[in-house]
Amino acid sequence: MRAAVLLALAASALAYQVTFPTATEGWSAEGSNKLTWQMVNTDAANFTVFLTNEDRSVMATNNLELAALVVGSDGTATLNPPSAGWPKGGGFRVNLCRDPQSPTTILAQSDQFNITSSTSATSSGSKTLNTHTGTTFIATGTSGSVDSSSTSTDDLSPVSTSNAAMPGVVVQGGLMGALAVIGALLA
């Protein structure tokens, strides 16, 4: 009996593991979302991704298929929103399942996570925001929410498009970049 329990624990430790989303970093309700995982060579070659939530007030039906025949060795997938859009709320999990017909044959399951309507930037990461002028900013070292409809650029810095060719040079696009070039030519 004890050996069977130890064998089951050892087998579960050497299987697919969902590494993103996590309990602290969920998904956005706008656009595509990233799924990452780890696998070992004894795992199935592919799987189907299902979104689940036990709270029927958040998600009317369980086991919403997001992608089928995902190649396990890829380690990452970009998942497009369902036709009705991403549901919003808490208590979501991603299940990696054997195939589309077997949503209860779970190979791996994520931690519970949230799907929210705003993008959060944390001190451990950064999020890219594109403005209507074409200038790209990256929010770094901030915490809290960054609303994509916001026009404020506090705590934002322009992105360098190439630091290999010209270290320390910041390139801005759109109207601001054009004004900088014209100003340099007139000076």
Side-chain angles (χ1 to χ4, degrees):
M1 174 75 171
R2 185 181 297 184
V5 170
L6 290 175
L7 183 61
L9 289 173
S12 68
L14 298 175
Y16 276 114
Q17 290 185 329
V18 176
T19 56
F20 190 85
T22 67
T24 57
E25 292 184 84
W27 281 354
S28 170
E30 288 85 31
S32 301
N33 283 297
K34 182 174 77 167
L35 171 68
T36 62
W37 62 89
Q38 294 176 342
M39 72 171 290
V40 295
N41 61 1
T42 56
D43 284 329
N46 54 47
F47 55 84
T48 297
V49 180
F50 287 95
L51 181 65
T52 66
N53 194 315
E54 294 179 5
D55 185 347
R56 292 295 152 253
S57 68
V58 174
M59 196 166 127
T61 59
N62 210 12
N63 297 320
L64 176 62
E65 183 180 325
L66 299 178
L69 296 173
V70 177
V71 177
S73 60
D74 286 351
T76 186
T78 300
L79 303 172
N80 292 319
S83 58
W86 294 109
K88 297 175 192 170
F92 291 98
R93 289 186 188 269
V94 171
N95 289 341
L96 310 186
C97 299
R98 184 177 67 193
D99 57 50
Q101 293 76 34
S102 306
T104 57
T105 306
I106 299 171
L107 306 174
Q109 184 177 66
S110 72
D111 292 334
Q112 286 191 353
F113 64 94
N114 296 330
I115 299 178
T116 59
S117 58
S118 64
T119 303
S120 294
T122 65
S123 59
S124 63
S126 62
K127 299 290 180 187
T128 302
L129 304 172
N130 292 311
T131 66
H132 67 282
T133 62
T135 303
T136 302
F137 294 92
I138 294 185
T140 58
T142 61
S143 72
S145 294
V146 177
D147 185 349
S148 61
S149 64
S150 174
T151 57
S152 172
T153 57
D154 294 344
D155 296 326
L156 300 179
S157 58
V159 175
S160 172
T161 58
S162 172
N163 60 4
M166 299 164 66
V169 175
V170 175
V171 179
Q172 293 182 335
L175 180 60
M176 296 297 287
L179 290 175
V181 170
I182 292 171
L185 292 175
L186 294 175

